[in-house]
Structures are given as C-alpha cells and as structure tokens.
Amino acid sequence: MQICSNSASPYRPRVHRTVLASLLVGLLTGLVLPATASAQASSDEEQPIQARDLYRMREVTEVALSPRGRSVAYTVRRLSPGRSATPRARLYVTRTSGRDDPRLLSQNRHHAREPAWHPDGTHLAFVRPVDGTPQVFVLPLNGGIPYQLTDTPHGAQAPQWGPGGEQLLFASRVPEPAVHRQTDRRPPTERPGRAPADTVRAPAPDTLLVLRHDRTLNPVDSLPVDAGGRLRTPTDTTDTLQIPQHPSIPDTLAAPPVHRLAALSPDSVRAVFDQFRLRPDTTTVAVRPDTAATPDGNLTQIRRWMHQNRRSGTALVSSRLELQGERRLQPTPAYRHHYVVDVPPGIRSGRPPRPTPRLVTGGYRSYGQADWLPGGGQIVVSGMPSTNRSPDRVRRRALFVADLDRPRLRRLLRIENYALTDPAVTTDGSTVAFRLASLSRTSDAPADVGIFDLDGRSQPRVLTSALDRDVASVEWAPDGWYLYATAPSEGGRPLFRFTPFARDTTDADPRAQSPDMPADRATSRNEFTLDSTMVRPAEAEQMTGAARAIHSFDVTNATAVYASTDPATPSALYANTVSFNNERPLATPNAEWLARRQIAKPSRVTISRDSLDVTGWVTRPVAFPDSLRHPLFVQARGGPPELSAPYTPETWFERQYLAGRGLGLVEGFPRGSAGFGTAFRRANDQNWGPGPARDVLALADSAATLSWTDSTQVALGGTGYGGTLAAWLLGQTDRFAAAVALNGVYDLPALLGGGRAWRLVPEEFGGYPWEGVPPLSLGDPTLSFGLLSPDSTARTPWTALHRNSPLTYAHLIRTPLLLMQGGTDRRVGPSQGERLYKRLKILDRPVEYVRYPGVGHDVSASASPRQRLDRLVRTHEFLARFLDLPAPPGSSRTTNRP
C-alpha cells in the first residue's frame, strides 16, 4: 500500500488519511489504539461548526428566580430532526450559587415554558400543551407529578401567582364568536351595507281574536287580526273556526264549524257570537322565528346560507383592516383576555377537582401584559380604550386597574398620542413602570420607560429618553430602587439599569405601602399630554457588553440571572451580583459539543458615512491556513425593527457555519437600524436604497483591505430589510459575484396591501402610494437610474416608494440571485419574492426561487429543523457555484467554478 501526501497543498489533509497514517505508525510502535484515538481527537478539535450541529444546539429561554433568589427555573429548547417547527423545551431548576447540577423537572416529550414561582418557593407554575392547546400546570418542587390547573378551550399562558399564592392569573386568546357568547353583544363590524344582526329576523308577535264563552270565559277559538283590528280571514289558511292550540289558551270547549266566515257581514258575525254565547277578546302570541337558510329564500335566508358557508370554510369573508396575521390570514379576530383561578389546596398529595376560572377583562378589545397589586384584589393591565370603532383602527393603549371580585375596570393612566404597555408594579405597590411608544406617523423616536405614582396625584415621568434606545422587558428590583430593562444597542441587546429615585437613608420610607388602589382614585388625574416637564431622565448603566444579546433575565436585590448569546456560545445561563462584577455560568448546555469545534470570533468595525458612524462585524474563517485569502459574504442586517432579524442563537450558528465553510463575513447595520440612536434611525426616511447601500458598500470596502480577504470575490445577502437592500443594490452595481435574499420587500407599494407590516409605508415614506402620483407625460422618463444621491429620494411618497423598490430596477439585475421566501410570511406578503422572481425570469436572468411551506417572516420561530438546516446549506451551496471557496477541513476539495 502506498500513502500519498501533498505537502505543497495549502489545505489540510482529509480525515481518513490522517487516521490511516496514525494506524501505520502505531503498528510500528505497538501503540495502535492510543495513536488512533489521539489522531481522531486532534481532527475533532480542528473541525469548525458542521451543518448537523444545528440539531445539537440548545437555547436557554425563559428564566425565573425564586422569591429569595436562591434558585432559578429556566427552560432549554432544542431542535430535533423532524417536520415539527416547534422546538422541544425542557424545564430545569438549579441553585444560583452554581454549586449544584441543574435538575430536570419535565420529561423530554413535553414542551414546557413560562415558569413562575409560588410566593413561598414551594411550587412552580408552567405552561404545557394538552392536545395542542397550552394549559397551566402546577408542580410541587419537593416531589410529585404536575397538576393541571386549567382546561380552558382557548388555552392559557403567562401564569402569574397572586401575592398570597392562593390565586393565579393567566391570559387567553378568545376568538370573536366566543366573546359574542360571553357578552351577548354583536361585535363591531365594517361590512359595507350590512348590519351585525341582519341574519336574524325576530318577527313581531301576532295579535289574535280570542272567542271566549260569555259565562265561563274559557277560550273557544282564535282568529288572526291585522294591525287595524280587522280579521285576516282572506289570508288565513283555513275557512272554519278552529280549536285554539296556543299553550296560553286552554282548550276546554269545542265549537261547531262555521264555513266561509270571511263572507259573513258584521251583523252576521255578531249573530254567530250571540248564537254560540261567545265574547270576543284579543291577545298577543309570539311567532316562531324564521331560521331557514337557503340560496333561494328571502334576503335574510340567503344571508344565513352564506354565513353557513363562511363558518364551514367554503368562503373566507372579512372586512377587517388587519386581515394579515403573522403567518396566515385572520378574517376573524381574537382578543387577549385575563382570567384568575383559585388554586385548590391538596395538589401535593391528591388531584382535587379543577377550579373554574373567572374572567377579569372582557369584551371586544385586547389586553396586554398585567401585574398584580400587592393587596391581591386588583391588577394593573394595559389595553385599548373602550370604543365603538373596530379594534383594528385603535392603536392607542392605556393602563387600567381591574378588580378581581367584581367586573370593574378603571382607567389608571392615559397619555395622548402614546401607547402604554408592559406595566410593572413595585413590590410596595406605590409606583408602576410602563413602556410608552409614540403613535405619531412620522416619529422615529424609540420607545421609552415611564413611571407613575399609583395615587394618581402627580404627573408621569419619562426615565429613559437620554438612553436613545428602544427599551423593553421592564422589571423592578424587589426593593423598588433599581429598574432593569433590555434594549437593542450597537448590534447586540445589553441589559441596562436605571435608578429612578434618590435613596432615603432614614428609617421611614417615603413611598408608603399601598396594597390596593386608593378608594378616591376616581378623583385623581389619569389623563396627560406629554411635555418637557415630564421628561426627567434617570441615570442609566449598561450592565452587559454590546456584543451580547440578553434574551431573558430576572433580578432580586442581590442577584441577577440572564440567558444570553455572545461570540463564544450560542446560549448559556449566567448569574451575577447586582454590582455585575462576579459573573458565573449556571448552565452551559452547548459546552460539550462546542469543545470539539473551532469558533470564529467576530471583530467590530466602525466607519463614518455622511456624519454617521456605521457599525459592522467582520468574521475571519477558522481552521484554514493563515496564508489563504477568503471570499467575502457581505450581509445587510438591521433596518426597521418590523423587518429586521433579531440576534438569536440561530444567527450565531449561521455566522459560525458559513465561516467554517471558508467565507469571510461582513455583517453591517446601515442607517435606519434600531439600536444606534434616533438620528441614525431617521437617516433612511424615504431613503431605503441609496443611503443604506452606501453604508454597506463602505463596510465591504473596509473589509476588502484586510490581508486575509479576496476582494475579487464578494457576494451579497440579507434577510427581511437586508434582503430588500441586497436586491436594490443588485440593480445599481455588478460588483457582486452572487447574492442571496430571504423574505425581503421588493415591491414597496405592494407592501401596503399585501403585508402585515403595511404601516411602514406611511411611516417611512411620508404617505401612501397614491399621494404625489406624477401626471402622465410622454417627455422625460419618470425615473433615473444609477446610485441615486440621498437628496434625490426626498420626493413625494409615490416617487420615493418607486425609487426605493428593488422591482423598479429589476431589469438591470444580472447578478446570480437566490430568492428564498417563507410560504406563510404575511408580514411582508408571500407574493413579494414571486414578483421579483417572475420579472427576472421574463428577462432571462440567473435567478433561483425557493419557497418554504408553512414558514413565516421569522424563520427561527416558524421553520422546521430540516427547513432551517436546508436554508443554511442551500445558501452555502449557491454561493459555492460562483465563488472559489476553499474545501472545509476534513473534506475533499472540489472545484466550485469552471
């Protein structure tokens, strides 16, 4: 046998050759097995991320600290090779000291999520599906099996224990027909020319002439009478007197027949009455309602027949503004409501009867996040105001206080032209924090956090305006002095902390205990218009680095726990002191398989464009010779939050997988992206193409000067808004060898009618596509081509939308393009990819279209594991057709281009 070697090759030898050489050496030295094991281990250590490692990846999601902060409950999600898009999540608990191994609380076949601690720390509530519907379970931590607390037909989620632990609050999405049954009120509708009750006809009761015996007054017969008191005998179905059959008229006396009653004169009728000793009387009786449904009946019956077709799915009928859901059409809305349920005693030792939940919020409006007041009899909840308008037309949100012992809802706070959401109440019940977002169509201001005293006698205060970031996930420290939140910033999602109050070192706390809403709350002020006197920023501290993304966190007065993604690992759970100087890992579910992989470390790069600092991340491939020059894959990220892909563990995996295939990565956040301040976000108003395109090209030029990059081989890609920008750029330049776009918007005017994110059209372009349509002209062309200057896009909404639509320049695209589209992406509309693909195919351009059935805009949340893997591998394969990629370590090298 001859062993061939190629010392001149810059690529590493294939794995089987390395193992074979070690075997031969081992035979000569008598150390066959150790040498083989050593060689295999060495090969594993040098291996970058592999495609099937996606199935090994674990993601720490929801975290919840026990009341005293000694333990933390959390869920770990994993993918499994299969068709289901729902990852399996398992529930764990571990000590925050880090000295104990995590303890598994749920079996692998169950999908557990949203853990919530009982106030005494003895039980955990969590959500698990039952026959596909989520329900709340309660698990004793000292042993036992979970007790199913809820069995609501529309599901239960977001469980929260009451302050005493005797009640539990949860939310449920109730479809409109169920709300109708609850309220017995018709839903609001915008059907043109149709009333809500026009399929129901309740005829007026009939008037009857009752003939009674003049002595006993027993009814003898009855005749119908019209509105004028005249007998309706000409239209009667009989021509003889009949025995009364109505249940309200006892049948005690029969009458002989008198034929042709209608032909008798009034005197003759009187003679008949006298002869039979009858006394006339009148009464009203209900008429059986018309319930017939037929296509050949009257208009009411036709409408009933059509309604039956609608309910059976024969026809989808809607008059909603928000017809598009996230992944499917929603012709019938559902409303999010809150329920409270009494937790029965004895769930540790037995299975008591399941209690019946009580509705806390109701009607044809939805309610968001809720939080308990410390007295246990009320909650603070966000919701839309009461209105007769369709809920789709109402974007305003206010804070309300709901009583649990009676159906009463009182407004706590309303700020004109703002949506108030995510209330969080301090432990002492004195203050509520909330998130406020402007409803102005032209505002690019980030969402802020405000606070409001629950006594209602002072104006609200905005805390976070100085941070200039979209703040979310608001949570108080138990003592009420610190307020924590996360926000996208510089490409990551750090944890921030605010100090709203000056500490009082005296014994008396100025914020006295307020267990329930004050009785005189109705006389306090609850409506405001935001002005400068309310904007009083609190000191903000960034507690974690910008390169990390905090996905979930919880805090006590002494401890903080958080699940995060960072450059070294896709997901892990950490604990820290509140000074954030003693971080320690509590759960590292990816550590074992990552120990056998080489991890590429991204480097931050910042360039200046148009007085803006543009940020990006550059990643050099791993496990390749230092002398090798790598092709570049430039990816546009960020953009408007509705269309930007969040930094998730799957984003981390995509970066590592492509870098392991020999691609140098440039990930850029062009102007308009969230997390870089208001000025940066406003810089792409009416300018989704030229300005952001220059930012991405400048980042690509900067990376092309690095010693390890091959500037002659550059590809382009993007997801969501990044896909939009990538396609727009292809119509302006031919510098890219290939491109990949996923779930982009390629026809901006069509987004208005075809996508759930349609409000981006008036918000980002200053109006609607029909505003500013130029008059028909046979002169100069309407549009100019080439890389437009930023000021040339500041035109009417019609002009701006067309100048920034990739479809406008599709005839100039000659770069090979892989178009990927989620088959149920209703956020932008699944036809967006088809529109661009069809135009390019008509032009005979190099384009390939991939549609993933059942996948929405957020691929990581809706695609099956196999679909996610297919997207990654397909991206690499397509780029390998047009770039000279090096062979991954441990595989044979193939020629990618002719």
Side-chain angles (χ1 to χ4, degrees):
M1 176 170 28
Q2 183 178 5
I3 305 298
C4 298
S5 64
N6 185 6
S7 58
S9 173
Y11 307 103
R12 297 185 184 274
R14 289 179 291 179
V15 172
H16 73 274
R17 291 185 177 180
T18 304
V19 174
L20 183 58
S22 300
L23 284 171
L24 292 177
V25 173
L27 288 173
L28 297 176
T29 61
L31 299 175
V32 175
L33 293 179
T36 303
S38 175
Q40 185 65 52
S42 175
S43 175
D44 285 345
E45 289 174 0
E46 295 175 351
Q47 200 172 36
I49 295 291
Q50 302 299 298
R52 290 186 178 273
D53 287 337
L54 182 65
Y55 298 143
R56 297 186 176 94
M57 191 171 67
R58 305 290 185 268
E59 180 182 354
V60 181
T61 52
E62 301 112 335
V63 302
L65 274 170
S66 63
R68 296 185 180 180
R70 296 176 180 175
S71 299
V72 57
Y74 61 98
T75 55
V76 177
R77 296 194 306 180
R78 61 163 295 182
L79 299 177
S80 58
R83 296 184 180 276
S84 174
T86 304
R88 293 292 182 185
R90 306 172 78 179
L91 180 61
Y92 292 84
V93 65
T94 190
R95 292 284 188 180
T96 54
S97 62
R99 291 191 292 267
D100 297 334
D101 292 332
R103 179 161 62 101
L104 177 64
L105 298 181
S106 64
Q107 298 300 319
N108 192 34
R109 68 178 183 273
H110 297 304
H111 179 57
R113 57 190 178 90
E114 298 185 299
W117 288 88
H118 189 278
D120 64 9
T122 60
H123 293 73
L124 267 178
F126 63 94
V127 175
R128 192 174 76 189
V130 177
D131 297 328
T133 301
Q135 302 293 348
V136 176
F137 288 76
V138 177
L139 175 66
L141 290 179
N142 60 352
I145 61 176
Y147 167 75
Q148 184 179 341
L149 181 64
T150 67
D151 189 22
T152 56
H154 310 298
Q157 54 190 321
Q160 294 185 68
W161 292 95
E166 299 174 350
Q167 295 178 314
L168 189 137
L169 185 74
F170 66 89
S172 182
R173 293 195 64 83
V174 185
E176 190 171 81
V179 176
H180 182 201
R181 292 190 295 270
Q182 289 175 356
T183 62
D184 198 27
R185 291 188 295 107
R186 294 282 172 178
T189 181
E190 294 184 342
R191 296 191 75 179
R194 289 283 301 272
D198 58 7
T199 59
V200 178
R201 187 177 70 88
D206 268 354
T207 301
L208 295 180
L209 174 65
V210 181
L211 304 180
R212 300 181 180 274
H213 192 276
D214 64 356
R215 181 173 56 83
T216 65
L217 299 183
N218 291 330
V220 177
D221 205 348
S222 62
L223 294 170
V225 179
D226 63 18
R230 296 178 295 273
L231 292 174
R232 293 191 298 173
T233 51
T235 60
D236 196 8
T237 57
T238 66
D239 59 357
T240 60
L241 291 172
Q242 300 292 322
I243 298 173
Q245 299 296 323
H246 196 272
S248 63
I249 306 175
D251 181 13
T252 59
L253 182 66
V258 178
H259 294 279
R260 301 197 178 279
L261 182 64
L264 297 178
S265 66
D267 292 339
S268 300
V269 172
R270 173 55 59 186
V272 171
F273 287 170
D274 292 342
Q275 178 183 352
F276 292 100
R277 303 184 66 181
L278 299 178
R279 177 180 297 181
D281 191 11
T282 57
T283 187
T284 58
V285 295
V287 178
R288 179 176 297 178
D290 175 19
T291 59
T294 171
D296 296 317
N298 57 40
L299 196 57
T300 300
Q301 293 168 341
I302 291 173
R303 287 169 176 166
R304 289 199 199 102
W305 181 80
M306 293 192 303
H307 185 66
Q308 290 178 351
N309 294 337
R310 178 181 181 181
R311 296 186 62 180
S312 66
T314 303
L316 189 153
V317 182
S318 181
S319 57
R320 297 188 61 192
L321 173 64
E322 301 292 357
L323 176 62
Q324 290 90 4
E326 188 63 26
R327 293 175 57 188
R328 58 183 59 88
L329 295 179
Q330 293 181 337
T332 303
Y335 302 92
R336 190 177 190 267
H337 291 307
H338 292 273
Y339 293 78
V340 66
V341 60
D342 296 325
V343 181
I347 60 176
R348 296 186 185 181
S349 56
R351 287 293 175 268
R354 189 172 295 126
T356 301
R358 303 187 303 276
L359 184 65
V360 178
T361 61
Y364 294 104
R365 47 178 173 161
S366 287
Y367 295 86
Q369 181 175 312
D371 200 9
W372 287 88
L373 284 172
Q378 298 169 313
I379 63 170
V380 177
V381 62
S382 69
M384 64 179 64
S386 179
T387 177
N388 293 325
R389 301 179 66 198
S390 168
D392 292 347
R393 302 278 181 183
V394 183
R395 300 178 64 196
R396 190 172 68 234
R397 297 293 184 270
L399 300 185
F400 298 89
V401 171
D403 295 333
L404 303 185
D405 58 350
R406 51 181 168 173
R408 185 172 70 168
L409 194 71
R410 292 177 290 167
R411 189 170 69 192
L412 172 66
L413 178 64
R414 174 180 179 266
I415 299 180
E416 183 67 28
N417 206 32
Y418 279 83
L420 310 185
T421 58
D422 304 336
V425 181
T426 53
T427 304
D428 64 5
S430 63
T431 308
V432 59
F434 55 91
R435 188 172 185 260
L436 69 160
S438 174
L439 298 179
S440 172
R441 195 179 78 176
T442 59
S443 174
D444 283 304
D448 283 311
V449 172
I451 59 174
F452 185 59
D453 291 341
L454 283 172
D455 62 9
R457 292 180 174 84
S458 59
Q459 64 183 9
R461 173 187 170 194
V462 179
L463 298 177
T464 60
S465 57
L467 181 63
D468 203 13
R469 297 288 186 271
D470 279 300
V471 183
S473 305
V474 182
E475 183 173 337
W476 287 101
D479 60 8
W481 294 115
Y482 288 130
L483 187 65
Y484 293 85
T486 61
S489 183
E490 310 293 328
R493 191 175 190 88
L495 179 66
F496 294 90
R497 184 169 70 189
F498 305 90
T499 310
F501 311 107
R503 283 190 177 273
D504 188 350
T505 58
T506 63
D507 294 336
D509 190 334
R511 297 177 295 130
Q513 178 90 356
S514 177
D516 280 316
M517 176 62 60
D520 62 346
R521 179 64 185 83
T523 64
S524 301
R525 187 178 177 189
N526 58 30
E527 186 170 355
F528 297 86
T529 299
L530 190 65
D531 59 36
S532 59
T533 64
M534 301 180 191
V535 181
R536 289 173 286 158
E539 180 183 355
E541 299 176 83
Q542 183 173 319
M543 313 311 295
T544 58
R548 303 177 75 170
I550 306 299
H551 304 297
S552 180
F553 73 94
D554 201 1
V555 292
T556 67
N557 293 331
T559 304
V561 293
Y562 40 90
S564 75
T565 297
D566 58 51
T569 180
S571 184
L573 177 66
Y574 301 92
N576 212 329
T577 61
V578 291
S579 59
F580 282 80
N581 59 5
N582 187 25
E583 183 178 89
R584 54 194 180 276
L586 296 181
T588 54
N590 298 291
E592 182 178 354
W593 68 271
L594 285 178
R596 302 188 299 272
R597 298 289 182 264
Q598 288 193 7
I599 305 302
K601 297 181 179 180
S603 301
R604 181 188 175 97
V605 59
T606 301
I607 61 170
S608 180
R609 289 289 309 173
D610 302 329
S611 301
L612 298 173
D613 291 333
V614 182
T615 297
W617 297 91
V618 177
T619 306
R620 181 175 183 172
V622 294
F624 293 92
D626 293 340
S627 59
L628 194 63
R629 296 171 67 87
H630 296 271
L632 282 177
F633 184 35
V634 180
Q635 292 177 289
R637 299 201 180 275
E642 295 87 346
L643 299 183
S644 64
Y647 184 29
T648 63
E650 196 153 327
T651 306
W652 181 96
F653 188 89
E654 178 184 2
R655 173 191 293 161
Q656 297 297 330
Y657 170 74
L658 294 177
R661 308 277 79 74
L663 280 165
L665 301 178
V666 181
E667 301 168 78
F669 296 87
R671 67 191 68 188
S673 301
F676 299 91
T678 303
F680 193 85
R681 189 162 168 177
R682 288 176 176 168
N684 78 327
D685 287 353
Q686 289 196 330
N687 183 10
W688 277 28
R694 285 191 173 85
D695 297 339
V696 171
L697 292 179
L699 286 170
D701 291 340
S702 176
T705 63
L706 299 174
S707 60
W708 52 268
T709 62
D710 183 354
S711 60
T712 65
Q713 297 190 81
V714 184
L716 180 65
T719 298
Y721 171 77
T724 304
L725 183 57
W728 191 91
L729 258 170
L730 297 183
Q732 312 297 324
T733 178
D734 59 357
R735 66 178 290 179
F736 298 105
V740 180
L742 169 66
N743 287 348
V745 180
Y746 312 112
D747 187 352
L748 282 169
L751 175 64
L752 185 75
R756 181 177 176 84
W758 64 272
R759 295 185 190 276
L760 284 174
V761 171
E763 291 172 355
E764 296 283 332
F765 294 93
Y768 295 96
W770 54 81
E771 297 179 17
V773 179
L776 184 63
S777 173
L778 301 178
D780 295 334
T782 303
L783 299 174
S784 60
F785 302 108
L787 204 56
L788 305 176
S789 61
D791 58 351
S792 67
T793 63
R795 300 289 191 268
T796 66
W798 185 91
T799 306
L801 285 165
H802 284 82
R803 287 174 181 260
N804 288 275
S805 288
L807 203 65
T808 302
Y809 311 98
H811 64 288
L812 300 176
I813 296 177
R814 299 186 181 276
T815 304
L817 174 62
L818 175 63
L819 271 173
M820 297 183 178
Q821 183 69 51
T824 57
D825 177 11
R826 295 286 176 184
R827 196 180 303 183
V828 302
S831 69
Q832 287 284 345
E834 297 174 8
R835 291 168 182 265
L836 181 58
Y837 170 74
K838 188 66 173 289
R839 185 162 299 190
L840 292 175
K841 288 304 293 183
I842 291 173
L843 294 168
D844 196 22
R845 301 297 158 77
V847 61
E848 186 168 310
Y849 179 75
V850 180
R851 186 182 182 97
Y852 290 108
V855 176
H857 190 79
D858 188 351
V859 176
S860 63
S862 57
S864 71
R866 192 173 186 87
Q867 287 174 322
R868 301 180 198 195
L869 191 60
D870 182 274
R871 181 182 72 85
L872 290 175
V873 174
R874 196 174 295 275
T875 297
H876 165 243
E877 186 276 336
F878 185 81
L879 296 178
R881 302 180 200 176
F882 307 101
L883 301 175
D884 189 12
L885 297 181
S891 64
S892 58
R893 188 174 189 274
T894 59
T895 301
N896 300 316
R897 294 194 294 179

